[in-house]
Amino acid sequence: MDPDTVKSTLSNLAFGNVLAAAARDYKKEVLANEKAQGSRPVNEEVDLDELMDDPELEKLHADRIAALRREVEKREAFKRQGHGEYREVSEGDFLGEVTRSEKVICHFYHKEFYRCKIMDKHLKTLAPRHVDTKFIKMDAENAPFFVTKLAIKTLPCVILFSKGIAMDRLVGFQDLGAKDDFSTTKLENLLVKKGMLSEKRKEEDEEDYEYQEGIRRSVRSSANVDSDSD
């Protein structure tokens, strides 16, 4: 494979100089091990052009690029449905918003209530993290029909919709320790437990770890071959 073509593709997908960084990290590990163990030096030079032609590394790149492209396409489709941001909706738009998406989190709030502002802050943080779920809010004072229809008595009230049906709700902060200083992570974990958010972020972190480890294995393999040939 043409190294220039591969490098250009990686750059376009925001990988930057990931191979060079991996090589530098590898050399640091080798030097640290040598210092600790007093072992003989090994070849510190890693030929990045040879790494580009490594079949295992090439497959890692191809798989990762394909996964990134699928994720981008999926995210764009969700954004066209109003996902990825925390938005205010009117009573007239409410039904369309909750029925056009599979998972919707709607915060019924009062603009003067301090706890509603706290909930706003956390939901605004979560919205771009979990693009597969729609995050919206509605001023309870301007939505008397749905406040009555959904039997909302206490604010803040976060209604959890699945396929257009109100499946669960968070009333005040009673599920969050009944305190104002709960963390975004605590709310996030609660929403994951209730099936409204996926654990995608954790899975993506694990995938990234495996990807980086694959690169490191290829770097080590190349360095060992160079050492043996010397």
Side-chain angles (χ1 to χ4, degrees):
M1 179 178 289
D2 182 0
D4 292 334
T5 301
V6 176
K7 290 175 183 177
S8 176
T9 301
L10 296 178
S11 179
N12 291 339
L13 289 171
F15 281 111
N17 297 320
V18 66
L19 289 179
R24 289 195 298 270
D25 290 343
Y26 164 72
K27 287 190 287 184
K28 288 179 182 178
E29 290 179 14
V30 170
L31 292 173
N33 289 335
E34 287 177 4
K35 187 175 180 180
Q37 301 173 9
S39 60
R40 66 175 181 83
V42 299
N43 183 15
E44 296 177 19
E45 297 299 324
V46 177
D47 191 334
L48 295 183
D49 287 335
E50 288 185 12
L51 287 177
M52 287 295 185
D53 293 327
D54 185 294
E56 182 180 352
L57 188 57
E58 183 177 331
K59 183 177 185 303
L60 278 171
H61 286 321
D63 291 346
R64 187 58 175 164
I65 289 169
L68 285 172
R69 285 175 176 165
R70 288 193 298 271
E71 183 63 22
V72 167
E73 292 171 358
K74 183 178 179 180
R75 288 175 67 89
E76 289 303 314
F78 278 130
K79 286 183 178 180
R80 287 193 292 271
Q81 298 176 31
H83 294 226
E85 59 181 337
Y86 182 47
R87 299 180 294 114
E88 175 118 22
V89 300
S90 67
E91 189 172 51
D93 294 333
F94 178 73
L95 280 179
E97 292 284 357
V98 299
T99 56
R100 280 196 298 265
S101 297
E102 182 175 350
K103 293 185 291 185
V104 180
I105 295 174
C106 182
H107 174 207
F108 284 83
Y109 76 97
H110 190 289
K111 59 186 178 183
E112 300 297 332
F113 289 6
Y114 177 67
R115 282 195 163 186
C116 290
K117 294 177 182 178
I118 293 174
M119 183 61 74
D120 271 342
K121 178 188 71 173
H122 293 301
L123 294 177
K124 185 176 181 179
T125 299
L126 291 175
R129 291 186 191 176
H130 297 273
V131 182
D132 50 341
T133 298
K134 180 183 289 184
F135 288 76
I136 58 177
K137 64 178 181 177
M138 193 155 60
D139 188 335
E141 283 191 313
N142 296 327
F145 176 80
F146 288 109
V147 167
T148 301
K149 192 73 173 177
L150 294 168
I152 295 172
K153 306 294 185 182
T154 302
L155 300 177
C157 183
V158 179
I159 308 291
L160 312 179
F161 293 90
S162 177
K163 298 180 180 179
I165 300 173
M167 303 297 293
D168 205 345
R169 65 182 61 197
L170 307 181
V171 179
F173 295 169
Q174 62 186 29
D175 293 324
L176 296 161
K179 296 180 179 180
D180 293 353
D181 60 350
F182 66 90
S183 66
T184 301
T185 299
K186 187 176 184 68
L187 175 60
E188 184 177 33
N189 290 339
L190 178 61
L191 292 172
V192 167
K193 184 177 180 180
K194 290 181 176 292
M196 294 305 298
L197 303 180
S198 69
E199 292 185 279
K200 180 176 60 178
R201 288 182 67 220
K202 179 180 178 182
E203 293 168 1
E204 285 177 348
D205 288 344
E206 291 173 352
E207 289 175 2
D208 287 340
Y209 174 79
E210 290 299 324
Y211 175 69
Q212 296 296 339
E213 281 301 296
I215 290 176
R216 291 178 186 276
R217 284 194 296 270
S218 294
V219 172
R220 292 190 183 100
S221 177
S222 176
N224 288 336
V225 169
D226 288 342
S227 298
D228 293 342
S229 63
D230 289 345

